[in-house]
Amino acid sequence: MKSPRILMAAAAVAFLSTAALAQAPSADQVSVPPQAAGKMHHGKMAALFNSPDEFMMFRVQLHDATRGMAKDQKRAYRKSELQKIKAMTGDQRGAYLQNLDAQWNALSPERKAHVERHLEAHQARHAGQQGQGYPQNGGQMGTPQ
């Protein structure tokens, strides 16, 4: 009578041990489509914009508006801004995006270069960390020098 219990226990141990030994695929075994390599780091956010310039201007505005806020306040503000953009009609969104383009074009070349360098450095720091969270330094954008 005890043999079925022993057999069930042995089967359970064997099943669990094979699951524990399973390994995730290495980076060499995972394929990434070529079109994904050129996308911006914040894919869902960037998808709301027609160009990288609009996205960068939006990021600059977010940074300026949330300077000095606590992390949870920044997150709530960013979420509300994204909800506003998603709720816009086609005409409203077009006007908003044109306004972002105009503001980007009005920036000085030095400021544009600074923002672009910052975004590239941010993407380089976080390229291999998707899904692992961000470093504790907050990733603050500095002012141009």
Side-chain angles (χ1 to χ4, degrees):
M1 290 189 205
K2 290 187 179 185
S3 62
R5 288 184 191 166
I6 293 173
L7 286 175
M8 290 297 285
V13 168
F15 178 73
L16 291 175
S17 66
T18 57
L21 294 176
Q23 295 179 354
S26 68
D28 295 336
Q29 295 170 333
V30 176
S31 64
V32 178
Q35 66 271 21
K39 290 192 176 186
M40 291 183 223
H41 180 68
H42 300 284
K44 288 182 181 179
M45 257 190 352
L48 297 174
F49 301 95
N50 295 332
S51 72
D53 294 346
E54 293 168 354
F55 180 63
M56 283 191 275
M57 191 64 221
F58 176 74
R59 297 275 314 260
V60 168
Q61 288 178 346
L62 276 181
H63 175 72
D64 292 342
T66 59
R67 183 173 282 135
M69 286 185 185
K71 189 174 182 176
D72 59 336
Q73 290 174 319
K74 287 181 183 186
R75 186 176 293 127
Y77 181 83
R78 182 176 61 238
K79 186 175 181 177
S80 71
E81 288 299 305
L82 290 172
Q83 287 174 344
K84 287 178 191 176
I85 293 171
K86 289 176 184 178
M88 290 180 182
T89 64
D91 293 338
Q92 291 173 330
R93 192 173 185 172
Y96 176 74
L97 294 177
Q98 283 180 340
N99 185 26
L100 285 177
D101 273 331
Q103 289 177 9
W104 177 256
N105 293 332
L107 288 178
S108 69
E110 295 84 21
R111 178 73 172 144
K112 286 181 187 179
H114 172 77
V115 171
E116 289 170 347
R117 278 193 314 270
H118 173 78
L119 190 59
E120 288 171 6
H122 175 81
Q123 288 174 339
R125 279 193 310 271
H126 301 293
Q129 296 181 0
Q130 289 182 351
Q132 295 178 8
Y134 291 97
Q136 297 301 316
N137 67 2
Q140 296 291 321
M141 286 175 94
T143 56
Q145 298 176 4

